Amino acid sequence: MLKNYFKIAWRNLKKNRLYAFVNITGLTVGIVSCLLIGIYIKHELSYDSFNSNADKIVRVTMDYNHGTNAQQTAVTGTKVGPQFKRTFPEVADYVRLIKSTGVVGYNDRLFEEENVLYADPSFFNVFSFELLDGNKASALSSPDKIIIAQTAAKKYFDNADPIGKTLKVGEKNYLVSGVAKDAPSNSQIRFDFIIPFTALGASKQEIWWSANYTTYLLLKNKDQVQPLQRQVTNYMSTISKGELKMAGSQYLTYHLEPLTSVHLHSNLSGALEPNGSITYIYILVAVALLILIIACVNYVNLSIAQSAGRGAEIGIRKVMGAGKLQLFRQFIGESIFTTSIGVVLAVLLAYLLLPYFNQLSGKQLQFNALLDPVIITGLVALAILIGFSAGAYPAILLSNARLSKILKSGFSFTSGQSVRKSLIIFQFVISIFLIVTTVVIVQQLSYIRNKDIGYNKSNVIVLPVDYTMQPQVDGLKKVMANIPGVEGVASANNEPIDVKWGDGIDTPDGKVLTVNALPMDEDFIKTMQLKIIAGSDFNHTDVLQIDTTNQGKNFHYSFMINESAARALGWTPEQAIGKEISKGSTGKIKAVVKDFNFKSFHDPISPLLIFLDHFQTRNLFIRVSGNNTASVIPALAKLWKDRVPGRPFEYKFLDDDYDALYRTEQRTASIFSTFSILAIVLACMGLFAVTAYAVIQRTKEIGIRKVLGANVSTIIVLISKDFLRLVIIATIIASPIAWYVAHKWLQDFAYRINIHWWVFIVAGGSSLLVAAVTVSVQALKAALANPVKSLKSE
């Protein structure tokens, strides 16, 4: 019996090739969308779960207020880990981490490395990273040791054994004590090298402040997170008032984040790796389901549309004694058979599309992820679920048909038409929703790229430097400034696109303000084209004030603040000039700069302190005239090779780093654009097939109308108007839903666009146009047909 059902299903597919193509293509696209997005989501949800102690590890985040505004960050001082272990019995161990860049050398091989991790010796006790060679207990036991990751070992030593060999990092030599397996792709902690935390000068003292380190605690019991959080809050309240002598609204406290929730649920700055977002996971789930629903709607629509053509078959089966259950099983079987073909094709298509999906998502997912038992089980369940859900209504409709009605007037149901129209509306509601949200995302990204952020990020080359290069920086700047095409050279601690340095300032009259801080040289303001609205730029006289001789007794800061800092201190820009403030050492405010975006558009502009400091230089900024970039870079490379032989010439562009801040949004826009196109194509494929069937059903009517004098345009309007009306209704339904979702998404940005009314007109109009073209193809074919032939055959 089952074999017979499959034979009939196959014959029906061959007989109705157009409908079979639309159904199978739609289901394949829907399933492959779910499959690829499912692999991606599974990967995101699995972050850090490979650690055997994952449910007992928490990240400590810092929450503080110097008096006027609270700040939160994912980094802490050096004291948190050891002090919490000493104080709270619930803490089994801790590890402090800081990621750094560094020049790593072995013989003639020299590379700038971005994943140099400093970690306490407890690193392998807390986390479950695998050590391929070496002893976990002793690999980080002394400050002259280094662990190298598997891929990095190949890069420096080829196939030779790295153990016992010496690597130079910066100016220090380290003995390779272990080879670690590369960190899994679903780990927020990535490394190519691990150096003992004791190699840092900061390890020699324990302080609450100087928050530069990511601290993790290993708890004895997974159920102790909330009780420990309450203890930490009470303990830090005592510490703030006692040891730290904080008063009024000032405080310092810490929060505990479960390790496995950090990647998707935390958006704090200072993370070791860029976080994902649970919001975008929900968005991707919704998009995949919407595409799949469109494919299922096509199936239901076409199954209902084909029902009239199967009247004779159903009638004969009923005459021969087939019951409702048998007919129901047959049609459900056909549905599952069709879906199974879609699943097989989807797996093959997923294999081919995975590299492109990796580019779209920014991940490196492997094909073996498709062979995961969870994915395979999900596919089987999905095939059965789609088969039943998409086939149930047509199966019930067909199996419940009355024999007398079929034999008398054929197979036709008015209820099927209303359902079919409702499903077409639903398809276009989804398509228009995706179009509107895509347009809003693209507009917001365009706004971010083109908005005046307060400085000129274009045509700026960034060259990383380190402490060992401090004596050379001034000389390098002078020589670089003489290269044809170079308009300016400056140095600073951080790029102005994402200032992470947190600090505090106070005034003689007792005002205290929490600020972000940016150390720079006297050329930074003019090179980056920041706007001074009061006061004057730094100059050589200000440089002479940062005199560290005579035990620092001659040292004085020169400060600038932004408009937000001036407002927070209760001053106008003009009033701020000449005011004395302190950041450990005192100095006077020389200028107030116009507010500029020194973080992403997700964050509002907050108080910023700018101060002159040559000793904190971490980057050189070279502004190049737009037409000379190609000639300047080789000249810089030659100069660098001559003057800085111990460091490879590796540069980047400031505007590229700026774009990287919004990579998640860019990927979301790409995903939405891709799936919006898929949605509208699938919807139109279904509309095309349903229109083709409607034309066949109305062949006699069209023939009579033509004989009575109807022209081509009349016939096209006759067939098209009902379908196009459905698209208009879909636009009306989709618009408020799309507005609400887009509005909620935009609330995540401190600086955002307004959603314009014309977006909905464009989305509805483009859907209407595509639908009109789709319907008109079949309508025109029917209008041009010979009425004599159609009436004769009918």
Side-chain angles (χ1 to χ4, degrees):
M1 182 66 72
L2 193 62
K3 182 179 177 182
N4 188 44
Y5 286 163
F6 283 125
K7 277 186 178 180
I8 295 168
W10 180 248
R11 286 172 184 166
N12 277 323
L13 290 179
K14 289 173 68 177
K15 180 182 177 183
N16 301 288
R17 287 185 173 85
L18 173 63
Y19 306 122
F21 173 77
V22 172
N23 274 335
I24 293 173
T25 301
L27 289 172
T28 300
V29 171
I31 294 168
V32 81
S33 300
C34 281
L35 186 57
L36 291 174
I37 290 176
I39 294 170
Y40 174 84
I41 291 172
K42 183 176 181 295
H43 180 269
E44 288 290 285
L45 294 175
S46 70
Y47 250 74
D48 299 307
S49 59
F50 66 90
N51 290 287
S52 59
N53 293 319
D55 57 349
K56 294 188 285 186
I57 300 172
V58 294
R59 185 177 75 169
V60 185
T61 65
M62 185 173 175
D63 181 359
Y64 62 98
N65 189 338
H66 284 299
T68 54
N69 56 323
Q71 297 274 351
Q72 289 188 325
T73 179
V75 291
T76 72
T78 54
K79 190 170 183 175
V80 176
Q83 183 65 15
F84 281 14
K85 184 179 179 183
R86 289 190 293 262
T87 305
F88 304 112
E90 293 86 351
V91 179
D93 212 338
Y94 69 90
V95 61
R96 296 165 296 182
L97 308 175
I98 183 171
K99 185 180 281 191
S100 177
T101 59
V103 177
V104 179
Y106 176 74
N107 293 339
D108 59 340
R109 301 184 186 188
L110 193 69
F111 299 99
E112 172 87 19
E113 299 288 355
E114 294 186 350
N115 289 318
V116 180
L117 189 70
Y118 290 84
D120 281 309
S122 55
F123 180 77
F124 288 103
N125 183 42
V126 175
F127 300 108
S128 302
F129 295 102
E130 188 177 345
L131 204 61
L132 301 174
D133 200 356
N135 189 314
K136 288 184 178 182
S138 60
L140 296 172
S141 60
S142 62
D144 62 341
K145 292 184 177 181
I146 188 170
I147 294 172
I148 187 170
Q150 191 175 10
T151 299
K154 182 79 173 175
K155 178 179 175 181
Y156 285 90
F157 302 105
D158 294 325
N159 295 319
D161 184 5
I163 300 296
K165 292 186 169 59
T166 300
L167 279 174
K168 188 175 184 180
V169 182
E171 295 299 310
K172 295 181 181 179
N173 290 323
Y174 295 90
L175 198 68
V176 178
S177 58
V179 178
K181 188 175 182 180
D182 289 339
S185 61
N186 60 342
S187 173
Q188 63 177 289
I189 301 170
R190 308 281 181 85
F191 56 84
D192 292 316
F193 305 88
I194 307 175
I195 298 174
F197 196 80
T198 51
L200 297 172
S203 68
K204 296 174 174 56
Q205 57 179 334
E206 293 181 6
I207 55 177
W208 294 110
W209 300 107
S210 298
N212 297 302
Y213 313 98
T214 306
T215 302
Y216 293 92
L217 304 178
L218 174 62
L219 307 186
K220 293 176 181 177
N221 190 308
K222 65 180 181 180
D223 299 323
Q224 294 173 328
V225 177
Q226 291 307 318
L228 179 60
Q229 177 64 74
R230 289 190 288 271
Q231 293 183 61
V232 167
T233 301
N234 294 332
Y235 176 73
M236 289 310 303
S237 178
T238 303
I239 292 294
S240 296
K241 294 173 183 176
E243 180 182 337
L244 300 177
K245 296 179 172 57
M246 302 177 84
S249 61
Q250 297 177 339
Y251 67 84
L252 170 65
T253 192
Y254 297 95
H255 303 291
L256 308 179
E257 292 182 336
L259 177 68
T260 51
S261 71
V262 169
H263 178 66
L264 291 177
H265 296 275
S266 179
N267 58 359
L268 293 181
S269 63
L272 292 169
E273 289 290 326
N275 286 336
S277 169
I278 193 66
T279 301
Y280 290 115
I281 294 298
Y282 295 147
I283 289 172
L284 287 175
V285 169
V287 167
L289 290 177
L290 291 177
I291 295 293
L292 188 60
I293 288 169
I294 288 179
C296 292
V297 166
N298 273 351
Y299 186 90
V300 173
N301 253 341
L302 294 179
S303 296
I304 295 171
Q306 290 179 75
S307 60
R310 303 191 70 173
E313 175 195 345
I314 296 166
I316 292 171
R317 286 184 177 276
K318 282 182 172 283
V319 167
M320 297 296 292
K324 288 183 181 180
L325 185 59
Q326 283 179 302
L327 290 171
F328 181 81
R329 281 203 303 257
Q330 177 191 333
F331 295 123
I332 283 292
E334 289 179 15
S335 179
I336 293 175
F337 178 71
T338 304
T339 306
S340 299
I341 295 173
V343 168
V344 172
L345 292 177
V347 172
L348 296 175
L349 193 58
Y351 174 75
L352 297 174
L353 293 178
L354 193 58
Y356 303 100
F357 184 76
N358 282 337
Q359 292 178 11
L360 196 66
S361 64
K363 299 292 181 181
Q364 291 301 317
L365 305 172
Q366 302 298 320
F367 180 72
N368 57 16
L370 294 171
L371 305 177
D372 187 291
V374 175
I375 298 295
I376 292 173
T377 303
L379 271 176
V380 174
L382 190 65
I384 295 171
L385 179 64
I386 294 171
F388 269 97
S389 59
Y393 180 76
I396 293 170
L397 200 66
L398 295 169
S399 61
N400 285 337
R402 294 179 62 183
L403 179 59
S404 59
K405 187 175 179 181
I406 295 173
L407 295 175
K408 182 179 178 181
S409 57
F411 195 81
S412 178
F413 291 91
T414 54
S415 61
Q417 294 210 3
S418 60
V419 171
R420 197 156 66 245
K421 288 179 179 179
S422 299
L423 293 176
I424 290 172
I425 291 172
F426 185 65
Q427 282 184 311
F428 277 94
V429 166
I430 294 172
S431 301
I432 293 164
F433 166 80
L434 290 174
I435 292 170
V436 170
T437 48
T438 300
V439 171
V440 171
I441 293 171
V442 170
Q443 282 185 314
Q444 176 66 13
L445 290 176
S446 176
Y447 172 74
I448 290 169
R449 281 193 295 268
N450 299 315
K451 182 181 181 292
D452 180 9
I453 56 175
Y455 60 92
N456 186 357
K457 67 182 183 300
S458 301
N459 302 317
V460 177
I461 298 170
V462 182
L463 286 170
V465 299
D466 55 39
Y467 282 125
T468 63
M469 291 178 59
Q470 296 291 348
Q472 298 176 264
V473 169
D474 286 341
L476 278 170
K477 283 176 56 184
K478 289 176 183 176
V479 180
M480 287 175 175
N482 292 325
I483 295 175
V486 172
E487 296 181 341
V489 185
S491 65
N493 174 267
N494 208 342
E495 296 180 19
I497 60 171
D498 191 19
V499 177
K500 293 185 172 68
W501 184 313
D503 220 313
I505 58 174
D506 54 80
T507 64
D509 59 355
K511 293 175 182 174
V512 181
L513 183 66
T514 301
V515 296
N516 287 101
L518 181 59
M520 61 176 61
D521 71 359
E522 65 276 18
D523 297 314
F524 189 83
I525 297 292
K526 61 177 176 284
T527 300
M528 297 310 302
Q529 298 175 11
L530 287 158
K531 300 175 181 68
I532 294 176
I533 58 175
S536 58
D537 200 356
F538 293 133
N539 55 39
H540 187 64
T541 303
D542 302 313
V543 175
L544 297 177
Q545 286 190 111
I546 53 174
D547 181 6
T548 57
T549 61
N550 192 22
Q551 297 181 335
K553 293 179 181 178
N554 301 325
F555 184 89
H556 289 283
Y557 277 121
S558 278
F559 291 120
M560 292 186 189
I561 58 176
N562 67 349
E563 292 175 283
S564 294
R567 279 194 300 271
L569 292 168
W571 302 327
T572 65
E574 292 73 19
Q575 290 171 339
I577 305 305
K579 297 280 190 182
E580 186 175 273
I581 57 176
S582 175
K583 190 193 82 71
S585 296
T586 59
K588 290 187 176 180
I589 297 174
K590 184 160 189 190
V592 176
V593 299
K594 184 177 176 61
D595 276 346
F596 66 93
N597 293 93
F598 58 87
K599 290 185 179 180
S600 84
F601 275 42
H602 292 282
D603 303 307
I605 296 173
S606 57
L608 176 70
L609 177 72
I610 296 170
F611 61 97
L612 200 58
D613 192 337
H614 285 194
F615 306 104
Q616 299 291 343
T617 295
R618 286 293 174 274
N619 294 283
L620 285 172
F621 300 87
I622 302 98
R623 179 168 295 284
V624 183
S625 60
N627 299 325
N628 292 293
T629 305
S631 61
V632 168
I633 290 175
L636 287 172
K638 184 178 184 305
L639 171 64
W640 195 267
K641 185 177 180 181
D642 294 338
R643 296 218 171 200
V644 195
R647 188 180 184 93
F649 177 73
E650 295 190 7
Y651 66 92
K652 51 189 175 179
F653 289 97
L654 186 61
D655 49 4
D656 288 341
D657 283 353
Y658 178 82
D659 289 341
L661 291 175
Y662 307 99
R663 196 158 286 151
T664 300
E665 287 77 14
Q666 290 165 357
R667 286 171 183 156
T668 303
S670 299
I671 289 170
F672 261 65
S673 300
T674 301
F675 286 107
S676 294
I677 293 169
L678 283 178
I680 199 73
V681 168
L682 287 178
C684 287
M685 284 175 66
L687 187 60
F688 180 83
V690 171
T691 307
Y693 189 82
V695 168
I696 293 171
Q697 291 293 95
R698 301 179 73 174
T699 300
K700 185 175 182 180
E701 176 193 348
I702 293 168
I704 293 170
R705 286 180 179 273
K706 289 190 71 176
V707 169
L708 294 175
N711 57 28
V712 172
S713 59
T714 304
I715 300 298
I716 292 176
V717 170
L718 172 71
I719 297 172
S720 303
K721 64 179 182 180
D722 289 338
F723 290 108
L724 298 184
R725 190 183 296 121
L726 301 180
V727 179
I728 294 171
I729 294 170
T731 303
I732 295 169
I733 296 171
S735 294
I737 300 171
W739 179 88
Y740 176 77
V741 172
H743 176 73
K744 291 290 287 183
W745 179 78
L746 286 171
Q747 298 311 300
D748 194 36
F749 293 88
Y751 305 95
R752 52 187 176 265
I753 61 167
N754 293 316
I755 303 175
H756 300 289
W757 60 268
W758 58 261
V759 171
F760 304 99
I761 302 298
V762 169
S766 58
S767 299
L768 191 63
L769 178 64
V770 173
V773 172
T774 303
V775 174
S776 297
V777 170
Q778 288 293 341
L780 184 62
K781 182 180 177 182
L784 295 175
N786 188 341
V788 175
K789 185 177 179 181
S790 61
L791 290 174
K792 181 181 177 182
S793 61
E794 286 291 315

